[in-house]
Amino acid sequence: MVLATWKARGFGLPTIASGGLIIWVISLSQFLPVCALQNGVAKLPILGYNTWNAYQCNIDEDLILNTASLMKSLSLQDAGYSHVNLDDCYAEKNRSAEGFIVPDKIRFKSGFNSLTNKLHAMGFKAGIYSDSGWYTCAGYPGSFQNEARDAKTFQDWGFDYLKFDNCAIPYDDIIREGIVGKYERMSDAITQLAKTSGKPPIIFSLCEWGWSQVWLWGKNLGHSWRTTGDIGPDWFSLANIINFNSFITSSTDFYGRNDLDMLQLGNGNLTYEESKSHFTAWALMKSPLFIGTNLSAITPETLSILKNKEILAINQDPVVGTSISPFRWGINPDWTSNSTHPAQYWSGPSQNGTVFMLLNTLSEPSTLSFNLTESPWIRAGRQYSVRDLWTHTSNGTAVRSLTIPNVPPHGVVALLLQDAGNEPDGLEPKCSVWYQCTDKNGTHVGG
């Protein structure tokens, strides 16, 4: 378990204090304005499929097309999952004599133009993978010093999306630039290619793992950026990712977003409740949502989670692009980093009301309760209708507070609250949260 105290929405150099407490020293430069990339594509988080979690290197053109067919037949495409993305291992181990990446001659014998044409004909966008270093993470050709060539190759093959990884980094005396410059090379190549080709720019997703505070600079270069290492198929991995991202939610908006990595639903040992929490947190934090499940073996329960229209509508909100954020940590004091017990109480605005996520991080059922105005998006003196985004029921009206009993272990509650007018007259105490609540004569109220 990692336990740390965080003093602001940013990170700096860690200092180890007595008792193992990690205190982070914050640099003011981390809060300088960032100019976002606004090139007309990917305003909303991308929904789709990625091959890595289920298949790693065991991919071929038949599997890709079969997956796309299953996405249609399972109505995942209708739910908004629009991309089918290849990950690593699709190429020959060596470039051609002319320096081009070559598709694996056996597994992709028809070539990528044939594959992307078929995906486009089915109504999907197509995505591909490369690396900012010499090689990909599985040892295939990376794009370092071939950025312009590879960007054009991917476009010529018909791909719409590029996931760009962080393995096989060149020696310092060769690269002679920082991590930002290493990713800027491909970002610039994609921008220039769009200008010369007249085609929409390839959607650029940085897979940098967060080591260099990518949430502070990634918005200049791409449309999403990985903030942590790879996800694992267990609750500890999910809790760790939720905890880490709870401190950087302000980085996400229409012009770039924190990428919490691919969905692990149906993989590993996640319970049904943990899978719901996984999907809810990823969707409401406005992460891209890439399915990583073997769709030929998907269960009805997993499918129902992936197709929750009310949760997906928040992720794809065309009016509000920001993430939910914690308003109270719950088990731990506010602004405490705990990789096994992240923040429990979250909220954020949406086009249709205020969204709440309540997360039970305990291994036993728990009652979760809060005062409405703890959320900055709730108005004092008003009452709110309550919509449960998992049971798809309207659950009456909340006045001042809400209590949800018996939330399952590692379970989640997702609510949409809509203003329903003034609260009833004569309620006591005069304020639901009475700290500094004061009568006009100066008398403190409540407490």
Side-chain angles (χ1 to χ4, degrees):
M1 181 178 72
V2 177
L3 185 65
T5 299
W6 302 72
K7 296 299 184 183
R9 288 182 184 271
F11 302 90
L13 298 176
T15 300
I16 306 299
S18 61
L21 188 68
I22 303 175
I23 301 174
W24 292 77
V25 181
I26 307 302
S27 166
L28 292 178
S29 65
Q30 296 173 13
F31 300 96
L32 295 177
V34 175
C35 296
L37 178 68
Q38 302 180 30
N39 61 5
V41 299
K43 177 182 178 182
L44 299 176
I46 301 297
L47 277 60
Y49 189 91
N50 182 285
T51 58
W52 186 256
N53 283 0
Y55 301 107
Q56 287 79 51
C57 287
N58 300 313
I59 58 173
D60 59 29
E61 58 190 44
D62 292 335
L63 183 143
I64 302 302
L65 293 173
N66 182 58
T67 296
S69 295
L70 285 168
M71 290 176 72
K72 291 181 74 73
S73 65
L74 294 170
S75 298
L76 287 165
Q77 186 183 53
D78 292 340
Y81 294 91
S82 58
H83 282 64
V84 180
N85 290 4
L86 288 72
D87 211 278
D88 208 343
C89 312
Y90 59 82
E92 293 287 318
K93 282 296 184 82
N94 296 302
R95 290 176 177 266
S96 71
E98 296 77 22
F100 292 92
I101 295 176
V102 179
D104 186 290
K105 295 182 178 66
I106 296 174
R107 292 184 289 123
F108 294 95
K109 58 184 180 297
S110 301
F112 283 133
N113 289 105
S114 172
L115 179 64
T116 59
N117 285 341
K118 290 175 181 177
L119 290 174
H120 291 154
M122 297 171 72
F124 290 105
K125 300 289 187 180
I128 199 165
Y129 167 99
S130 190
D131 194 281
S132 57
W134 296 118
Y135 302 97
T136 69
C137 296
Y140 293 81
S143 290
F144 181 68
Q145 295 184 344
N146 284 281
E147 289 85 2
R149 184 201 311 271
D150 290 354
K152 188 174 188 307
T153 296
F154 299 147
Q155 185 185 76
D156 289 346
W157 282 343
F159 286 102
D160 311 283
Y161 179 105
L162 173 63
K163 174 184 172 181
F164 207 54
D165 220 331
N166 190 32
C167 287
I169 299 171
Y171 292 155
D172 291 356
D173 62 353
I174 295 174
I175 195 167
R176 296 193 184 279
E177 58 191 353
I179 196 77
V180 178
K182 189 160 77 85
Y183 281 87
E184 191 173 30
R185 297 168 68 100
M186 181 56 84
S187 179
D188 288 348
I190 289 172
T191 298
Q192 185 60 37
L193 178 63
K195 292 178 180 177
T196 57
S197 69
K199 297 179 180 179
I202 295 170
I203 298 169
F204 187 41
S205 175
L206 287 67
C207 188
E208 192 275 328
W209 318 330
W211 291 354
S212 297
Q213 300 177 312
V214 63
W215 53 91
L216 297 174
W217 52 265
K219 196 170 292 188
N220 295 301
L221 306 181
H223 296 280
S224 62
W225 43 85
R226 277 277 297 281
T227 56
T228 65
D230 290 354
I231 191 172
D234 53 63
W235 173 254
F236 177 81
S237 178
L238 303 184
N240 181 56
I241 292 173
I242 293 169
N243 172 66
F244 190 92
N245 282 273
S246 68
F247 298 97
I248 56 174
T249 57
S250 60
S251 296
T252 287
D253 57 31
F254 283 135
Y255 303 106
R257 54 202 55 84
N258 297 323
D259 180 353
L260 281 60
D261 201 8
M262 294 171 282
L263 296 170
Q264 280 283 25
L265 307 181
N267 299 324
N269 300 310
L270 294 177
T271 67
Y272 174 64
E273 296 297 336
E274 290 169 344
S275 294
K276 285 171 57 181
S277 297
H278 176 17
F279 185 75
T280 303
W282 266 236
L284 300 190
M285 280 197 265
K286 304 294 179 73
S287 174
L289 301 177
F290 281 104
I291 301 168
T293 306
N294 180 343
L295 294 183
S296 64
I298 195 169
T299 66
E301 283 186 340
T302 298
L303 192 61
S304 69
I305 294 173
L306 291 169
K307 292 165 60 176
N308 184 323
K309 293 182 178 179
E310 294 191 74
I311 298 290
L312 289 173
I314 305 299
N315 180 265
Q316 296 291 296
D317 190 327
V319 176
V320 179
T322 51
S323 166
I324 59 168
S325 298
F327 62 85
R328 175 153 54 92
W329 262 247
I331 290 176
N332 297 297
D334 289 351
W335 298 105
T336 298
S337 177
N338 187 321
S339 62
T340 58
H341 294 82
Q344 294 184 285
Y345 297 89
W346 304 61
S347 69
S350 80
Q351 65 172 331
N352 294 316
T354 302
V355 183
F356 285 83
M357 180 177 77
L358 312 180
L359 193 65
N360 179 15
T361 62
L362 299 176
S363 299
E364 58 190 29
S366 180
T367 294
L368 299 177
S369 181
F370 63 97
N371 289 317
L372 300 188
T373 53
E374 289 184 80
S375 165
W377 312 110
I378 292 293
R379 296 168 58 193
R382 309 286 287 182
Q383 57 187 335
Y384 287 82
S385 64
V386 181
R387 176 74 177 176
D388 190 310
L389 303 182
W390 277 109
T391 63
H392 308 295
T393 57
S394 296
N395 294 352
T397 302
V399 179
R400 295 197 171 185
S401 66
L402 258 177
T403 298
I404 310 296
N406 297 317
V407 179
H410 300 165
V412 72
V413 177
L415 305 171
L416 180 66
L417 270 60
Q418 294 179 305
D419 193 302
N422 289 332
E423 66 180 23
D425 294 332
L427 293 182
E428 294 292 342
K430 298 296 184 183
C431 302
S432 59
V433 180
W434 49 74
Y435 176 73
Q436 287 295 332
C437 186
T438 307
D439 189 272
K440 64 183 178 181
N441 67 11
T443 303
H444 286 287
V445 176

